[in-house]
Amino acid sequence: MSIAEIKKTKSNLIAWIEQLSDSNMLMVLDGLRNAKSDKDWWSDLSEKQKQHINEGIDDAENGRVISSSEFWTKLKDA
């Protein structure tokens, strides 16, 4: 990513954050900002969460995936 692209992305993110009114999204973003990058998040997950992630990886590795557009169509129809 070029310096110009980085500046444009930052500007777009700032504009988007300024218009946010969803407190849950703001909390997620604040959590990301305050996250410690030197800690391995995997160890904080429950065994059930790890199992779900590993199942998703297995699905992807074995071709059991759908496109994002198909996902959103299915979600809207549900």
Side-chain angles (χ1 to χ4, degrees):
M1 186 179 271
S2 71
I3 293 174
E5 290 170 321
I6 290 171
K7 287 182 179 182
K8 180 69 174 167
T9 300
K10 285 181 180 181
S11 177
N12 288 341
L13 285 170
I14 291 167
W16 175 68
I17 290 169
E18 286 179 342
Q19 60 84 32
L20 275 177
S21 59
D22 182 343
S23 62
N24 289 327
M25 179 60 74
L26 290 168
M27 287 175 31
V28 167
L29 293 171
D30 194 45
L32 285 172
R33 183 180 64 88
N34 292 318
K36 304 270 188 228
S37 62
D38 58 343
K39 185 177 179 190
D40 184 5
W41 54 269
W42 184 260
S43 60
D44 292 336
L45 298 177
S46 70
E47 287 305 312
K48 187 124 182 125
Q49 289 170 319
K50 291 176 184 178
Q51 178 184 353
H52 285 294
I53 291 169
N54 286 325
E55 288 171 2
I57 292 169
D58 185 63
D59 284 343
E61 289 174 345
N62 290 290
R64 296 184 301 266
V65 296
I66 60 173
S67 68
S68 62
S69 61
E70 186 178 350
F71 168 81
W72 289 112
T73 299
K74 287 183 177 189
L75 187 63
K76 288 177 189 175
D77 294 341

